[in-house]
Amino acid sequence: MSIFEIIRFAIRGLNSNKLRTTLTTLGIAIGVSSVIILLAVGNGSSKAVQAGIEKLGTNTITIQSNRGGFGGGRASASRAASSKPLTVGDAVALSSPINAPDIKQAAPVASASVACAVGTNSSTPGTFNGTWPSWFEASNTSIATGTYFTNDDVTEGRRVAVIGSTVATDLFPGSNPVGQVMRCGGIPFTIIGTTEKKGSNGFQDGDSLVVAPLTAVQRSLTGYNNLQSIVVQAKSAKVQDLAQTEINTIMDSQHKIKNTNNRDYRTLNQASLLQTTSSSNSVFTVLLGMVAAISLLVGGIGITNIMLVTVIERTREIGIRKAIGAPKRAIMTQFLIEATILSLVGGVIGVIGGFAGSHFKIVGVQPIIIPASVFLAFGVSILIGVFFGGYPASRAASLRPIEALRYE
Amino acid sequence: MHPVIDVQGAVKQYGVGDAAIFALDGVDLQIKQGEYVAIMGPSGSGKSTLMNIMGALDNMTSGKYFLDGIEIDSLGEDALALVRGRKIGFIFQSFNLIPRTTALANVELPLAYQGIKGKERRERALAALKVVGLSERVNHEPTQLSGGQQQRVAVARALCTRPALLLADEPTGALDSKSTHDLLDLFDQINAAGRTVVLITHEDDVASRAKRVVRMRDGKIISDVLNKRASV
């Protein structure tokens, strides 16, 4: 008999027990979609954590002065006596492309702690930085409206400023701050731009921010000898360790450090953050793998169970078909086609369900589908479905008809 | 002319050693074309086993079986399927229709496995259903039919392939007396048309309709007599 005839038999077989067919399909679909969604949720939360860490700027190194301010007592006092403050000269030296080939740029930062006011509105920015234009790139800060200030603004000491969104809404509720003037610590600054929203990093509001040219801030607010930090940007996250070494070499020579255990500056290397990222990534990968393995196993057992029950239930039917002259091949092919159709339809519905389900946020996590998981879930469930539908059917078809007929 | 059925020294053994049970213990039976044979015997006498072997549904431990001159035991899986489909129409006590499938589709099934297509298949199936008097019920599923009607569907399924041999294993066992009577009339009619009919029964009035009665006990044939065909 022709293959088309057998396919028609298979379809008729599926049609003749719609409830069983629906439940089997549903079982496979749920198996497939749960694998896809579970992995997508895992992947989504992994990506969210990664993105959160990357936002902090993974290839920046911050140099801070070790001078005073901590503790007190004689030890720190004696160290303070021999130590030098960070200077603009340090930043210039760090920018040298010859001595520091792996450093993209360095920006000195002078921080002030002042309140800003416009009319009756006031805001105390968490961060008030006087710096160079290169700071924006080094700190991963971009402009939403208006412009950055320029090197020219720094040279001229112009009192211009870029503000974060928190400061903008505090001072200029409902109006465009660009072009307006605010007074910070009594000094007028013209606002030339606002920064892209950064959100909170958990400790402080990244948008409670004012950035102005270093010279203007030093001249009017902090004085010249008081750099808070130097932000250094490595050329890439990969060469960060090299950049770190170059920083130490340059700073040691700038500050005439003999004993490297007793430096008057310290560096906050984002490499540790990067390490945290990669270690958290590997934890997530292991976790995802386990989730995948367990959900595939559970889904697979479900599919196996349904298929086995379905075929065993029909052993008697197989006996009848053999008794009236069905060749073994025809029976096997029919059951194999039935199993394939069930697995395919269930698999496709499961994939669609997986994609649909991954559109919704699940406990605050936006799932991101891993393409490989779709193929994995689809492939594995079809293999399982076809095998556990086909294998018992072929066994039943190999029985003598009378044995299959007696099967209860 | 060779007999339709020629069983020689059939032995069917279950278990081994001391636990061995002989369902058939050396059975010889020849049935010629056009005969109508009833096989009788108490349960456990081996009559069903013999029937299953004659229907090529089961194998035997030793002995030979020729169906229409073909030695069945030497056949492979595919050839056996052909024999079951073309030479034998088998009727079961419990009907054994495919569930949730219409009477017509059930009758068409053996034809489909023989590769008979579309219109011819449908016509032959409808003709067989007409012979058993079920033309009005071709689209009913087994659960929508009475026991007698289901058995007649099974008879139509057995007949539609025009087999040399109609085997029926207690076909009236699950039927009421009216349905039994109708079915036996049908068998008479089929036999009158020249087809060989073999049935198993333990009811004397069923056996009395046959032309020849074979009695079995403990795996052996104990009597084999021609019926005087007393008027019914």
Side-chain angles (χ1 to χ4, degrees):
Chain A
M1 71 191 288
S2 71
I3 185 73
F4 297 108
E5 194 82 59
I6 298 178
I7 291 173
R8 268 188 45 202
F9 274 21
I11 290 169
R12 191 181 289 169
L14 294 175
N15 242 333
S16 69
N17 196 336
K18 293 199 175 64
L19 183 66
R20 184 178 64 204
T21 303
T22 312
L23 286 178
T24 312
T25 314
L26 199 67
I28 296 172
I30 288 173
V32 171
S33 60
S34 60
V35 170
I36 294 174
I37 293 176
L38 273 175
L39 287 181
V41 169
N43 187 37
S45 49
S46 159
K47 287 272 161 68
V49 169
Q50 262 175 278
I53 294 176
E54 261 163 28
K55 219 189 243 174
L56 301 174
T58 44
N59 54 347
T60 59
I61 301 167
T62 307
I63 305 169
Q64 290 180 333
S65 174
N66 252 352
R67 273 159 42 98
F70 301 101
R74 293 178 58 175
S76 68
S78 68
R79 190 196 286 172
S82 65
S83 66
K84 293 179 173 153
L86 297 175
T87 62
V88 173
D90 295 339
V92 172
L94 286 168
S95 304
S96 154
I98 297 144
N99 293 331
D102 295 305
I103 290 173
K104 193 172 182 191
Q105 51 201 358
V109 176
S111 288
S113 187
V114 289
C116 299
V118 172
T120 55
N121 297 329
S122 80
S123 177
T124 307
T127 311
F128 191 111
N129 283 346
T131 185
W132 291 350
S134 53
W135 178 88
F136 288 98
E137 194 188 336
S139 67
N140 215 4
T141 306
S142 47
I143 289 291
T145 60
T147 65
Y148 303 95
F149 55 81
T150 62
N151 282 324
D152 203 34
D153 292 327
V154 176
T155 318
E156 298 293 325
R158 290 193 189 113
R159 289 198 288 265
V160 292
V162 172
I163 61 174
S165 60
T166 303
V167 177
T169 42
D170 281 349
L171 297 183
F172 306 97
S175 65
N176 181 8
V178 176
Q180 309 217 46
V181 175
M182 62 177 179
R183 299 183 87 84
C184 296
I187 312 297
F189 284 89
T190 306
I191 293 157
I192 57 168
T194 61
T195 61
E196 207 70 75
K197 257 188 196 292
K198 273 192 159 182
S200 168
N201 66 3
F203 305 106
Q204 70 188 100
D205 180 1
D207 298 317
S208 181
L209 171 76
V210 175
V211 189
L214 177 68
T215 44
V217 173
Q218 282 182 322
R219 183 179 303 157
S220 51
L221 294 168
T222 65
Y224 286 98
N225 231 354
N226 215 0
L227 280 189
Q228 171 86 8
S229 59
I230 299 174
V231 175
V232 178
Q233 185 186 16
K235 285 212 166 123
S236 73
K238 274 185 207 150
V239 298
Q240 208 175 10
D241 287 342
L242 292 172
Q244 174 79 43
T245 316
E246 287 158 16
I247 288 170
N248 284 341
T249 313
I250 292 167
M251 290 298 288
D252 286 351
S253 106
Q254 286 280 110
H255 288 218
K256 302 190 169 57
I257 305 287
K258 300 277 185 315
N259 178 1
T260 53
N261 287 326
N262 196 14
R263 286 176 169 141
D264 61 359
Y265 66 96
R266 61 201 157 102
T267 54
L268 298 177
N269 192 336
Q270 303 278 34
S272 59
L273 209 57
L274 210 64
Q275 249 167 26
T276 315
T277 321
S278 67
S279 69
S280 77
N281 267 348
S282 64
V283 168
F284 267 112
T285 310
V286 171
L287 234 118
L288 279 180
M290 280 167 63
V291 168
I294 291 170
S295 46
L296 271 177
L297 191 73
V298 171
I301 289 173
I303 296 168
T304 307
N305 187 24
I306 288 169
M307 282 300 186
L308 284 178
V309 168
T310 303
V311 174
I312 286 170
E313 200 186 77
R314 293 176 72 186
T315 302
R316 202 181 153 79
E317 182 188 327
I318 290 175
I320 299 173
R321 287 177 185 273
K322 285 204 81 170
I324 60 173
K328 183 182 165 189
R329 205 179 320 109
I331 294 174
M332 272 176 56
T333 314
Q334 179 191 337
F335 277 76
L336 213 58
I337 291 172
E338 283 189 24
T340 309
I341 292 175
L342 283 178
S343 312
L344 271 178
V345 172
V348 168
I349 293 175
V351 169
I352 293 171
F355 274 97
S358 303
H359 276 293
F360 301 102
K361 271 196 174 178
I362 297 166
V363 285
V365 176
Q366 180 63 52
I368 298 167
I369 287 178
I370 307 170
S373 78
V374 176
F375 295 105
L376 187 76
F378 190 71
V380 166
S381 24
I382 283 179
L383 278 182
I384 292 176
V386 170
F387 180 77
F388 285 101
Y391 171 67
S394 98
R395 253 190 22 194
S398 302
L399 293 175
R400 271 172 280 141
I402 203 69
E403 289 173 313
L405 278 171
R406 284 200 191 116
Y407 203 97
E408 288 303 331
Chain B
M1 196 181 132
H2 53 70
V4 176
I5 285 176
D6 186 358
V7 178
Q8 299 171 3
V11 174
K12 178 73 177 179
Q13 180 184 353
Y14 292 106
V16 284
D18 290 343
I21 292 166
F22 290 90
L24 290 181
D25 194 1
V27 171
D28 298 294
L29 182 65
Q30 279 81 41
I31 295 173
K32 289 195 279 293
Q33 174 74 45
E35 279 198 277
Y36 185 173
V37 181
I39 298 175
M40 298 190 73
S43 50
S45 61
K47 55 188 193 306
S48 279
T49 308
L50 180 61
M51 197 61 143
N52 292 333
I53 288 169
M54 290 196 292
L57 304 182
D58 206 351
N59 57 2
M60 44 192 170
T61 313
S62 68
K64 282 181 186 285
Y65 170 39
F66 297 92
L67 173 66
D68 229 5
I70 305 162
E71 188 175 359
I72 297 301
D73 270 358
S74 65
L75 297 179
E77 182 75 37
D78 286 350
L80 270 179
L82 271 180
V83 165
R84 288 183 199 121
R86 287 172 197 251
K87 299 274 182 195
I88 303 164
F90 206 105
I91 298 159
F92 300 88
Q93 180 179 0
S94 53
F95 321 138
N96 277 347
L97 300 177
I98 306 272
R100 298 185 194 83
T101 307
T102 63
L104 180 63
N106 260 296
V107 176
E108 277 188 347
L109 205 55
L111 296 173
Y113 283 124
Q114 285 180 32
I116 295 163
K117 291 204 172 61
K119 202 174 166 212
E120 188 196 347
R121 183 164 89 200
R122 200 180 161 78
E123 278 168 0
R124 277 172 69 172
L126 286 172
L129 281 164
K130 193 177 175 192
V131 168
V132 300
L134 281 178
S135 294
E136 307 295 310
R137 297 252 190 287
V138 292
N139 287 320
H140 287 52
E141 292 179 4
T143 49
Q144 300 167 314
L145 298 169
S146 73
Q149 288 169 334
Q150 287 187 57
Q151 195 58 299
R152 279 191 277 158
V153 173
V155 172
R157 185 177 66 185
L159 280 180
C160 68
T161 58
R162 299 170 192 149
L165 181 62
L166 195 67
L167 298 174
D169 187 352
E170 298 205 35
T172 60
L175 301 182
D176 58 53
S177 59
K178 168 80 168 66
S179 302
T180 299
H181 191 81
D182 290 349
L183 190 68
L184 291 175
D185 284 349
L186 191 55
F187 282 172
D188 282 349
Q189 198 184 318
I190 292 163
N191 180 241
R195 224 171 283 285
T196 312
V197 177
V198 181
L199 60 80
I200 284 181
T201 184
H202 49 249
E203 294 166 63
D204 287 326
D205 56 336
V206 174
S208 68
R209 302 277 289 255
K211 294 174 183 165
R212 178 183 167 192
V213 178
V214 174
R215 288 181 192 274
M216 292 184 71
R217 174 176 294 244
D218 297 333
K220 293 190 171 94
I221 291 174
I222 53 169
S223 81
D224 186 348
V225 295
L226 291 181
N227 245 346
K228 285 173 222 72
R229 199 80 170 125
S231 61
V232 181

